[in-house]
């Protein structure tokens, strides 16, 4: 399907694309300067007004806006990268870990990836307006349910600036306005990205206020933000336990929580050890700092002598430190890997770096019990060639995504074909797993009658 992009008119001569065509670099025009005073009440009112305009847009108008944002990201990538370099420099000066710096980092390739993902979302079916069901009641009334935007979203997140684009794009596609509050470590990067989005929206005759950013890192603003239920319809925190707890305890806005891992694999007696090792390496090392990376490996005791030395050698090759139970230690040492005894809190730690917990278990049931006690219901899996064991595992483990012989790294909106995600929900109401387009909608009942009255 070919989607036409609206061409700039005469009033858009200072748009990012025209600036580039004339050879003059466009300048970041942030919606606000870092650290300036923020009027959350005004932002809420503007977001509510913008959401009403977005809700009435056709799919074509929304797709045109997304394609314009994708073009603007590529056209103005140098400006965004310059701001990101300042954030990275500050992060290094402040002693941030390499894994966290990787989460902060934008590169030309990553920005191109964000632009490509934005175009993919534009090409996805628009869920807004879809009819979920329709039926004729015995009294002659026609009753149906239709998808509609939620309204205004509030998203609080931490280190990853690419999240800014994911959230903005999915929100716009579903006709929602959004107020963003990212971490102080990426303040310049996020303000630059939001400025690019706002300019692209304005060039499409859409409200800049559809995507807003709280540009002051003052923590007091978060407490105020959590009580803006007059303007914000749904709050999504993306961060650690302390952020989730704060939102659950203080928010007067409905909260959807997720994004905390502590992900497990159970290696069954029948597992294909050679191919399964590749899955383990991918789950732990492909991107160590993300929430769907592997944290704990549970290994059946009957294969420990054969499997664990091979595991230790592969982990040594990848630079992964192993935290192991005492009964696993003899099989892991002297294989080149760094192996240390597991502490009492290690099974409840989301590592976010090259560390892997290893524990021996006597059975599938013991593995399931460990996962049920320590998992955050994010991403958990089993490596097995026994279909009955796979089914028992899938039935018993109630995480947002359960994996059989596949890396936990696949728990991702893009990998699931959703285009991107606002968050990965680990709760049980409204949405679970990657929150794509459908999860950012609600519905209304449509009642069609013929002057019906209730008796």
């Amino acid at each position: 399907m070919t989607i036409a992009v609206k061409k700039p008119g005469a009033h858009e001569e200072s748009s990012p694309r025209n600036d580039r065509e004339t050879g003059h670099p466009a300048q970041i025009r942030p919606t606000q300067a870092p650290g300036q005073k923020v009027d959350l009440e005004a932002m809420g009112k503007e977001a509510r007004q913008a959401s009403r305009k977005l809700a009435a847009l056709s799919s074509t108008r929304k797709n045109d806006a997304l394609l314009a944002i994708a073009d603007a990201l590529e056209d103005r990538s140098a400006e965004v990268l310059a701001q990101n370099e300042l954030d990275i420099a500050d992060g290094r000066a402040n002693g941030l870990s390499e894994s966290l710096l990787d989460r902060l980092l934008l590169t030309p390739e990553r920005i191109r990836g964000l632009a490509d993902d934005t175009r993919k979302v534009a090409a996805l079916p628009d869920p807004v307006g879809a009819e979920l069901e329709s039926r004729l009641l015995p009294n002659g009334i026609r009753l149906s349910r239709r998808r509609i935007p939620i309204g205004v979203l509030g998203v609080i997140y931490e280190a990853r600036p690419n999240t800014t684009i994911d959230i903005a794009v999915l929100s716009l596609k579903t006709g929602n306005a959004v107020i963003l509050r990212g971490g102080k470590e990426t303040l310049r990067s996020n303000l630059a990205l939001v400025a690019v989005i706002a300019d692209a929206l304005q060039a499409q005759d859409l409200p800049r206020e559809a995507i807003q950013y709280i540009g002051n890192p003052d923590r007091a603003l978060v407490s105020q933000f959590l009580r803006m239920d007059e303007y914000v319809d749904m709050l999504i925190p993306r961060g650690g336990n302390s952020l989730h707890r704060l939102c659950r305890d203080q928010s007067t806005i409905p909260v959807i929580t997720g994004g905390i891992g502590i992900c497990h694999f159970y290696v069954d007696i029948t597992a294909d050890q050679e191919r399964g090792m590749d899955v383990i390496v991918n789950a732990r090392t492909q991107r160590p700092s993300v929430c769907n990376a592997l944290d704990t490996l549970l290994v059946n005791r009957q294969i420990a002598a054969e499997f664990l030395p091979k595991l230790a050698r592969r982990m040594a090759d990848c630079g992964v430190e192993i935290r192991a139970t005492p009964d696993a230690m003899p099989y892991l040492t002297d294989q080149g890997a760094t192996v240390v005894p597991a502490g009492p809190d290690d099974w409840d730690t989301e590592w976010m770096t090259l560390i892997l917990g290893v524990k021996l278990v006597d059975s599938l049931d013991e593995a399931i019990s460990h996962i049920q006690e320590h998992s955050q219901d994010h991403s958990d899996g089993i490596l097995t060639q026994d279909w009955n064991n796979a089914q028992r595992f899938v039935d018993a483990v109630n995480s947002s995504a359960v994996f059989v012989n596949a890396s936990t790294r696949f728990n991702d909106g893009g990998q699931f074909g959703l285009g991107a995600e606002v968050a990965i929900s680990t709760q049980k109401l409204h949405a679970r797993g990657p929150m794509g387009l459908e999860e950012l909608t609600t519905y209304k009942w449509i009642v069609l009658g013929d002057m019906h009255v209730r008796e």
Side-chain angles (χ1 to χ4, degrees):
M1 180 175 65
T2 301
I3 302 173
V5 181
K6 179 182 174 185
K7 296 185 181 299
H11 65 290
E12 296 166 349
E13 291 180 353
S14 62
S15 70
R17 179 174 291 280
N18 285 338
D19 282 343
R20 183 171 182 175
E21 289 169 353
T22 59
H24 300 295
Q27 297 299 313
I28 291 287
R29 291 182 290 153
T31 53
Q32 55 191 289
Q36 78 173 43
K37 184 177 180 180
V38 172
D39 187 342
L40 286 180
E41 184 85 6
M43 292 178 70
K45 291 178 180 178
E46 290 170 344
R48 177 63 71 200
Q49 289 297 319
S51 72
R52 291 166 180 159
K53 295 178 182 178
L54 295 178
L57 292 180
S58 67
S59 296
T60 300
R61 289 292 311 281
K62 290 187 288 187
N63 290 337
D64 286 350
L66 294 180
L67 294 174
I69 290 170
D71 289 345
L73 284 170
E74 292 180 332
D75 290 347
R76 300 173 64 180
S77 63
E79 304 165 49
V80 176
L81 291 172
Q83 298 300 309
N84 183 249
E85 286 178 4
L86 296 175
D87 285 336
I88 293 294
D90 282 351
R92 284 206 170 92
N94 291 326
L96 297 184
S97 67
E98 287 301 317
S99 61
L100 184 53
L101 288 172
D102 179 65
R103 290 167 69 94
L104 301 177
L105 180 65
L106 290 174
T107 65
E109 293 75 21
R110 288 184 180 182
I111 289 184
R112 281 196 296 272
L114 291 173
D116 289 343
D117 288 343
T118 299
R119 295 185 181 103
K120 290 175 184 177
V121 172
L124 292 173
D126 184 354
V128 176
E131 193 169 81
L132 298 175
E133 64 171 311
S134 178
R135 60 180 183 268
L136 185 65
L137 301 182
N139 61 5
I141 285 178
R142 171 67 64 179
L143 189 65
S144 63
R145 287 193 298 147
R146 184 180 302 168
R147 286 195 185 278
I148 61 171
I150 289 173
V152 178
L153 310 177
V155 185
I156 304 174
Y157 54 109
E158 293 182 347
R160 297 172 64 187
N162 63 293
T163 301
T164 301
I165 299 298
D166 291 345
I167 296 168
V169 166
L170 292 175
S171 299
L172 291 169
K173 177 78 175 189
T174 50
N176 294 294
V178 63
I179 299 175
L180 304 166
R181 204 278 189 179
K184 64 181 181 180
E185 299 85 359
T186 51
L187 180 57
R188 297 184 188 91
S189 304
N190 286 331
L191 286 173
L193 289 168
V194 171
V196 170
I197 295 170
D199 288 348
L201 289 175
Q202 185 170 315
Q204 293 288 311
D205 296 323
L206 296 177
R208 297 173 63 91
E209 297 78 17
I211 308 295
Q212 298 184 73
Y213 190 87
I214 301 173
N216 189 319
D218 187 351
R219 289 181 178 271
L221 291 170
V222 173
S223 297
Q224 182 184 350
F225 189 36
L226 296 180
R227 290 173 170 79
M228 289 179 58
D229 55 283
E230 183 178 354
Y231 305 110
V232 180
D233 298 293
M234 186 170 73
L235 184 69
I236 305 171
R238 291 184 53 157
N241 274 316
S242 59
L243 174 61
H244 287 198
R245 190 178 306 111
L246 174 71
C247 292
R248 287 193 298 266
D249 291 347
Q250 296 190 14
S251 178
T252 58
I253 306 165
V255 178
I256 289 186
T257 57
I260 300 175
I262 310 182
C263 305
H264 302 78
F265 261 128
Y266 167 59
V267 185
D268 189 34
I269 298 173
T270 66
D272 183 330
Q273 294 186 21
E274 297 304 319
R275 298 173 67 205
M277 196 74 72
D278 293 335
V279 174
I280 293 167
V281 169
N282 178 264
R284 176 59 276 174
T285 69
Q286 195 256 349
R287 197 162 183 192
S289 62
V290 294
C291 57
N292 56 17
L294 178 64
D295 296 292
T296 298
L297 191 67
L298 306 170
V299 180
N300 191 288
R301 190 180 306 277
Q302 294 184 44
I303 62 170
E306 177 186 5
F307 178 76
L308 290 184
K310 293 185 289 188
L311 173 73
R313 290 192 289 271
R314 286 295 297 272
M315 294 300 102
D317 292 340
C318 299
V320 176
E321 175 186 308
I322 298 174
R323 304 281 181 94
T325 52
D327 52 357
M329 295 282 287
Y331 305 108
L332 294 165
T333 54
D334 300 325
Q335 302 295 331
T338 300
V339 184
V340 298
D345 298 326
D346 285 350
W347 312 120
D348 297 303
T349 299
E350 183 183 26
W351 295 116
M352 303 182 72
T353 190
L354 291 175
I355 296 175
L356 178 66
V358 175
K359 179 181 180 180
L360 297 185
V361 293
D362 290 322
S363 64
L364 171 62
D365 288 336
E366 185 180 348
I368 290 171
S369 295
H370 178 99
I371 292 171
Q372 290 173 338
E373 180 178 356
H374 299 282
S375 173
Q376 294 291 320
D377 294 338
H378 194 292
S379 305
D380 297 294
I382 182 173
L383 300 174
T384 185
Q385 299 300 307
D386 186 323
W387 185 245
N388 289 329
N389 282 354
Q391 287 302 305
R392 284 177 58 201
F393 187 91
V394 168
D395 291 342
V397 174
N398 193 24
S399 298
S400 74
V402 182
F403 296 83
V404 178
N405 299 329
S407 172
T408 55
R409 288 285 290 116
F410 283 105
N411 193 0
D412 173 87
Q415 295 296 317
F416 280 9
L418 305 179
E421 87 237 353
V422 169
I424 296 179
S425 170
T426 54
Q427 66 181 43
K428 296 180 174 66
L429 295 181
H430 174 65
R432 290 205 86 196
M435 293 182 62
L437 297 176
E438 289 187 0
E439 288 73 26
L440 297 185
T441 66
T442 182
Y443 62 83
K444 62 183 174 185
W445 291 96
I446 310 295
V447 183
L448 301 179
D450 185 17
M451 304 306 168
H452 282 73
V453 297
R454 180 172 175 176
E455 297 180 358

